[in-house]
């Protein structure tokens, strides 16, 4: 399953700025899941994705305020945090490699990212088995 929504990228850049992080092109920003009482809630996969993106050759930043906590997702599903800021082709190559190395092919996966579409931006959410998600990401590389 794939969902696409048009978004205003300025709100994401403002969220980064509010946390005293400078926005730069070609940096992967791993966004918090939300905020409660001024405390950023981060996905438990955020630190690992940041490390793995760095090893892949991509500068990555986990976007968090001074007050933050990690949300442990104890379900059978793998829900990755929202990533944006790098070209889709780079992110797609990273994600397909990452899924192959880290996720069982029959495990349910949810991937969220922001893709530039001309002058606009789209938030894309892909859900399915590891194999299905990898196939959808590969099909989007051509668009």
């Amino acid at each position: 399953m794939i969902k696409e929504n048009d978004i205003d990228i300025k709100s994401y850049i403002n969220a980064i700025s509010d946390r005293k992080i400078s926005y730069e092109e070609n940096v992967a920003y791993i966004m918090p899941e939300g905020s409660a009482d001024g405390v950023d809630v981060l996905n438990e996969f955020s630190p690992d994705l940041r490390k793995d993106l760095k090893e892949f050759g991509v500068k990555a930043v986990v976007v968090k305020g001074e007050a933050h906590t990690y949300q442990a997702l104890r379900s059978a599903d793998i829900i990755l945090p929202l990533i944006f800021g790098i070209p889709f082709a780079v992110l797609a190559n990273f994600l397909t490699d990452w899924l192959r190395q880290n996720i069982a092919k029959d495990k349910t996966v949810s991937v969220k990212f922001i893709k530039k579409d001309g002058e606009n931006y789209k938030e894309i959410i892909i859900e399915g088995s590891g194999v299905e998600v990898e196939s959808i990401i590969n099909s989007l590389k051509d668009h």
Side-chain angles (χ1 to χ4, degrees), residues 43-45 49 73-81 98-99 102-104 106-112 126-128 130 133:
N43 184 300
E44 68 182 340
F45 290 100
L49 283 173
L73 305 169
R74 300 281 182 209
S75 70
D77 300 335
I78 303 296
I79 302 170
L80 299 180
W98 193 89
L99 289 169
N102 294 288
I103 307 298
D106 60 344
K107 191 100 164 158
T108 301
V109 179
S110 177
V111 173
K112 300 172 282 189
I126 303 170
E127 294 178 339
V133 168

Side-chain angles (χ1 to χ4, degrees), residues 49-100:
L49 283 173
R50 182 192 161 282
K51 179 181 79 67
D52 293 343
L53 278 162
K54 186 176 177 181
E55 289 175 2
F56 192 74
V58 174
K59 183 176 177 183
V61 175
V62 176
V63 177
K64 61 186 176 198
E66 288 183 30
H68 61 276
T69 185
Y70 287 92
Q71 175 182 19
L73 305 169
R74 300 281 182 209
S75 70
D77 300 335
I78 303 296
I79 302 170
L80 299 180
L82 174 68
I83 300 174
F84 85 102
I86 58 176
F88 175 70
V90 173
L91 181 60
N93 287 334
F94 167 77
L95 284 174
T96 53
D97 288 350
W98 193 89
L99 289 169
R100 274 188 223 122

Side-chain angles (χ1 to χ4, degrees), residues 26-47:
N26 299 316
V27 173
Y29 293 95
I30 302 168
M31 300 300 291
E33 297 295 308
S35 184
D37 297 325
V39 177
D40 283 334
V41 179
L42 301 172
N43 184 300
E44 68 182 340
F45 290 100
S46 297

